[in-house]
């Protein structure tokens, strides 16, 4: 094959949200293009108008943008082979399908869907093979192979609905090389005469993608394994058009499997096991059903992309954390596996934890401030909103947020975990974990805490270090064990037995808030509902 510039395309159909398997296909195309100084094209294949879903195209574009996979040519940026939306290229396909008809490689078929359904039912009832429109049946059906040219023209002139089918040659071996799977061989007698042009005047995927790949000078077709059975027919189309010499190389990617390894990963698996399978949240326009997205669940796009890259591909080393730039540098089709790859939702969280933990404290603090502002706005006016010594002045304090993040960043797996873990630094407890109370609050606790509170009020310099020294002095003088003091204090200040070290918590939230929480907590824990 003649060497030519690398040009690859990702060609999704706007029939719903983009599955993470689709994002991986886009990613591998993107990496291959960037690695080889090539061009990455996004083409919208919207010829199936019956399955078109409003908003799906916009979703695809937004999802790829969030992932950082910017196309060089697409429906918005344009390019030398515009338009990049197939519904706008129908006249191009019409002219090419006529070439096939004229050369005897395609034919008109007038069989109605009802007639074909009758045949399918008949074959099923007779217990034979499933009905196929192929070399064995086409000469018994209503098409331009069995009708005279006069009758065919009359039907077309009268506006009778028809489709155009490919004429699969009889008794031939089709052989092509797949860059991942090696040599693939298929006998033409096992293929059916697929529809190339539909009665609605639009092409099927088979015709449109071959014509577009040729006109857009695609060098490599990197797509999902589900398209492997169609590849032999696409090979025939290249041959029929006389384009076999410039035909792209094929690479069919392995499936992404369910976590148990049995079958292709689907939305139902995510719903059942509690993880998203779409990059962004999706609201079904017809039902209103909402599906979770990785972005909204709190994943960083860098972590999402890193995780996807290692599903079915490996870098040849033990390194797992790879930036997009590193992936581009080391990516190769040769390291893509043939077998499917199990999706591990826990591993996805692990990747996100690694990336979040590596962020600068300043960056995480910005995230936390936004989460805290949103949470505060929801809390204001709530009957459960506690009266506090004005914590609202801290909500937008980026320096305060940085001090908080420094204590909790290693606990964060998803972005919302920031507020979950930081909530105690912004809001006093409005209730107390009763299981923790049973474990942490003893008969002597009120007396011990009250005595400590009296001394704590006198502490002038309030830092983690000075609080630690005060605690040590207090327990030494009173013979109170450390746990007898610190466990009740944690319950009063935090509301549970969770969180970082108590000295660090007390040092960050400050003297006023800390003493307030202890005082209010002492009163509350003597209320009837807490006894």
């Amino acid at each position: 094959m003649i060497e030519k510039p690398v040009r690859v395309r990702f060609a999704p159909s706007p029939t719903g949200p983009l599955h993470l398997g689709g994002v991986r296909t886009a990613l591998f195309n993107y990496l291959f293009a960037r690695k080889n100084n090539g061009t990455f094209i996004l083409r919208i294949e919207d010829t199936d108008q019956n399955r078109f879903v409003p908003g799906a195209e916009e979703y695809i574009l937004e999802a790829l943008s969030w992932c950082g996979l910017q196309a060089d040519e697409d429906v918005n940026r344009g390019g030398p082979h515009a338009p990049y939306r197939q519904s706008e290229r129908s006249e191009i396909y019409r002219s090419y399908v006529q070439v096939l008809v004229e050369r005897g490689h395609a034919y008109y078929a007038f069989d109605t869907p009802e007639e074909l359904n009758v045949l399918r039912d008949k074959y099923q009832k007779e217990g034979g093979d499933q009905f196929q429109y192929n070399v064995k049946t086409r000469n018994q059906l209503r098409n331009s192979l069995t009708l005279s040219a006069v009758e065919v023209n009359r039907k077309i002139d009268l506006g009778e609905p028809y489709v155009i089918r490919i004429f699969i040659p009889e008794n031939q071996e089709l052989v092509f090389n797949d860059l991942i799977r090696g040599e693939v061989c298929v006998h033409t007698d096992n293929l059916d005469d697929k529809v190339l042009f539909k009665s609605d005047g639009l092409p099927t995927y088979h015709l449109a993608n071959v014509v577009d790949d040729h006109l857009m000078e695609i060098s490599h077709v990197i797509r999902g394994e589900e398209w492997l059975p169609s590849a032999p027919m696409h090979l025939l189309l290249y041959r029929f058009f006389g384009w076999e010499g410039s035909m792209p190389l094929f690479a069919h990617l392995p499936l992404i499997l369910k976590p148990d390894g049995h079958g292709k990963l689907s939305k139902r698996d995510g719903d059942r096991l509690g993880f998203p399978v779409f990059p962004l949240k999706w609201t079904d326009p017809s039902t209103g059903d909402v599906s979770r997205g990785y972005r909204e669940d709190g994943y960083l796009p860098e972590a999402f992309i890193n995780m996807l890259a290692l599903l079915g591909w490996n870098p040849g080393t033990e390194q797992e954390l790879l930036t997009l730039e590193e992936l581009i540098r080391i990516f190769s089709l040769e390291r893509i596996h043939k077998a499917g790859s199990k999706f591990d939702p826990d591993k996805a969280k692990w990747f996100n934890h690694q990336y979040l933990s590596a962020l600068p404290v300043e960056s995480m603090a910005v995230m936390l401030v936004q989460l805290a502002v949103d949470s505060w706005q929801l809390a204001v006016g709530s009957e459960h909103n506690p009266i506090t010594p004005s914590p609202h002045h801290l909500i937008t304090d980026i320096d305060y947020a940085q001090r908080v993040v420094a204590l909790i960043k290693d606990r964060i797996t998803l972005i919302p975990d920031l507020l979950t873990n930081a909530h105690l630094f912004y809001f006093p407890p409005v209730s107390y974990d009763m299981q923790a109370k049973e474990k942490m609050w003893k008969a002597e606790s009120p007396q011990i805490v009250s005595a400590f509170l009296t001394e704590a009020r006198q502490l002038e310099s309030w830092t983690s270090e000075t609080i630690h020294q005060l605690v040590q002095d207090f327990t030494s003088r009173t013979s109170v064990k450390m746990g007898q003091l610190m466990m009740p204090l944690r319950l009063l200040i935090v509301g549970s037995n969770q969180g970082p070290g108590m000295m660090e918590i007390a040092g960050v939230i400050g003297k006023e808030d800390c003493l307030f929480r202890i005082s209010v907590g002492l009163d509350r824990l003597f209320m009837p509902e807490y006894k």
Side-chain angles (χ1 to χ4, degrees):
M1 182 174 178
I2 299 173
E3 290 291 330
K4 55 184 179 182
V6 167
R7 288 177 59 84
V8 296
R9 49 64 167 185
F10 175 55
S13 297
T15 54
L18 189 61
H19 185 277
L20 61 84
V23 180
R24 187 193 63 172
T25 298
L27 171 63
F28 284 4
N29 275 278
Y30 179 89
L31 295 176
F32 186 74
R34 295 291 177 264
K35 170 70 178 292
N36 294 283
N37 298 313
T39 302
F40 173 57
I41 299 166
L42 173 63
R43 189 173 70 217
I44 301 297
E45 300 199 340
D46 60 343
T47 58
D48 190 346
Q49 292 298 299
N50 291 327
R51 297 178 61 218
F52 175 80
V53 175
E57 179 181 319
E58 293 77 8
Y59 179 96
I60 291 167
L61 294 170
E62 186 179 354
L64 295 181
S65 175
W66 177 69
C67 293
L69 306 180
Q70 178 63 60
D72 301 301
E73 302 171 21
D74 64 19
V75 293
N76 290 330
R77 296 168 66 90
H81 300 287
Y84 292 91
R85 190 179 289 110
Q86 286 189 335
S87 59
E88 299 172 4
R89 300 169 62 85
S90 57
E91 289 307 312
I92 297 174
Y93 310 127
R94 186 181 296 276
S95 65
Y96 278 102
V97 80
Q98 288 303 320
V99 170
L100 295 177
V101 172
E102 292 166 7
R103 294 179 181 177
H105 297 308
Y107 59 93
Y108 298 96
F110 299 93
D111 319 275
T112 66
E114 292 76 18
E115 290 170 340
L116 295 177
N117 284 333
V118 168
L119 283 171
R120 292 187 184 97
D121 291 342
K122 178 183 176 183
Y123 272 62
Q124 187 174 11
K125 289 177 182 177
E126 291 176 353
D129 296 333
Q130 184 178 0
F131 170 75
Q132 285 188 307
Y133 209 121
N134 60 14
V135 63
K136 297 177 183 178
T137 61
R138 62 192 176 201
N139 290 324
Q140 304 158 25
L141 300 167
R142 292 198 307 126
N143 53 55
S144 56
L145 302 177
T146 60
L147 301 172
S148 67
V150 173
E151 181 66 9
V152 169
N153 290 330
R154 187 185 72 81
K155 288 179 177 293
I156 293 175
D157 291 341
L158 289 173
E160 186 171 329
Y162 65 84
V163 298
I164 298 177
R165 293 179 177 272
I166 187 173
F167 185 89
I168 299 291
E170 188 174 355
N171 195 29
Q172 289 187 17
E173 291 283 350
L174 297 177
V175 181
F176 70 95
N177 183 64
D178 186 277
L179 296 175
I180 296 172
R181 299 164 193 284
E183 185 178 279
V184 177
C185 180
V186 176
H187 199 282
T188 56
D189 288 354
N190 295 321
L191 303 177
D192 55 338
D193 292 0
K194 295 285 189 187
V195 173
L196 298 177
F197 212 77
K198 299 174 291 183
S199 58
D200 63 4
L202 288 172
T204 61
Y205 166 83
H206 306 294
L207 175 70
N209 100 88
V210 167
V211 169
D212 285 345
D213 285 350
H214 173 74
L215 295 180
M216 295 180 183
E217 303 176 89
I218 300 302
S219 63
H220 297 74
V221 171
I222 305 169
R223 61 188 178 187
E225 179 183 301
E226 62 269 25
W227 293 111
L228 185 59
S230 301
M233 190 182 72
H234 298 166
L235 171 62
L236 281 176
L237 287 173
Y238 281 105
R239 184 176 297 173
F240 294 162
F241 281 123
W243 301 336
E244 198 169 6
S246 60
M247 186 174 70
L249 298 176
F250 291 96
H252 289 89
L253 306 175
L255 295 176
I256 297 179
L257 304 176
K258 304 171 189 283
D260 64 7
H262 300 298
K264 182 179 178 181
L265 180 69
S266 70
K267 176 184 177 297
R268 288 187 298 275
D269 300 310
D271 292 342
R272 176 172 56 88
L273 298 172
F275 61 85
V277 297
F278 303 132
L280 315 180
K281 183 176 73 173
W282 167 257
T283 302
D284 189 301
S286 60
T287 66
D289 292 342
V290 177
S291 300
R292 293 163 56 185
Y294 279 86
R295 180 179 67 181
E296 290 74 16
D297 267 21
Y299 285 79
L300 295 174
E302 298 86 352
F304 179 65
I305 285 297
N306 193 161
M307 177 270 295
L308 278 185
L310 297 182
L311 283 176
W313 173 86
N314 74 81
T317 67
E318 296 299 314
Q319 184 178 355
E320 291 187 282
L321 299 177
L322 296 158
T323 65
L324 189 58
E325 291 72 25
E326 289 173 317
L327 288 169
I328 290 170
R329 180 171 52 81
I330 64 178
F331 183 77
S332 70
L333 295 177
E334 290 76 18
R335 290 197 172 275
I336 296 176
H337 311 154
K338 295 179 183 179
S341 182
K342 289 192 293 185
F343 178 75
D344 184 348
D346 291 331
K347 190 69 172 181
K349 289 183 177 180
W350 178 85
F351 274 107
N352 206 60
H353 172 72
Q354 300 304 315
Y355 274 83
L356 277 171
S357 298
L359 284 178
V361 168
E362 295 80 2
S363 299
M364 293 185 77
V366 171
M367 296 179 186
L368 175 57
V369 164
Q370 185 58 59
L371 291 169
V373 167
D374 293 342
S375 180
W376 175 260
Q377 290 172 343
L378 288 175
V380 169
S382 167
E383 61 179 313
H384 300 297
N385 185 35
I387 299 173
T388 70
S390 303
H392 58 277
H393 74 282
L394 298 174
I395 296 295
T396 57
D397 188 330
I398 197 71
D399 292 331
Y400 183 75
Q402 288 184 30
R403 294 177 65 197
V404 173
V405 166
L407 292 183
I408 65 172
K409 70 189 306 272
D410 290 339
R411 298 167 174 262
I412 308 305
T413 297
L414 303 175
I415 292 174
D417 295 343
L418 273 169
L419 187 59
T420 302
N421 284 274
H423 193 275
L424 69 94
F425 292 94
Y426 290 95
F427 305 102
V430 295
S431 62
Y432 301 89
D433 184 324
M434 296 309 292
Q435 287 186 338
K437 177 179 179 291
E438 291 296 322
K439 180 180 179 180
M440 303 168 74
W441 193 257
K442 306 300 180 184
E444 68 275 11
S445 295
Q447 182 179 355
I448 293 173
V449 171
S450 296
F452 178 78
L453 181 60
T454 299
E455 296 193 16
R457 288 194 176 107
Q458 308 306 313
L459 189 63
E460 294 184 1
S461 173
W462 189 275
T463 66
S464 298
E465 292 75 19
T466 57
I467 299 165
H468 184 265
Q469 187 61 53
L470 175 63
V471 167
Q472 283 193 324
D473 292 345
F474 179 84
T475 53
S476 296
R477 282 186 285 101
T478 60
S479 299
V480 170
K481 294 180 180 178
M482 187 70 73
Q484 289 179 292
L485 172 64
M486 298 308 296
M487 291 178 70
L489 282 179
R490 178 177 289 276
L491 181 66
L492 294 168
I493 293 173
V494 177
S496 71
N497 57 1
Q498 305 300 310
M502 266 313 304
M503 309 301 184
E504 288 75 16
I505 292 175
V508 169
I509 65 176
K511 180 178 181 179
E512 182 182 7
D513 195 8
C514 198
L515 299 183
F516 172 84
R517 295 186 189 199
I518 296 172
S519 298
V520 170
L522 278 172
D523 290 340
R524 283 181 174 167
L525 289 180
F526 281 106
M527 293 180 182
E529 62 265 35
Y530 289 111
K531 289 184 178 179

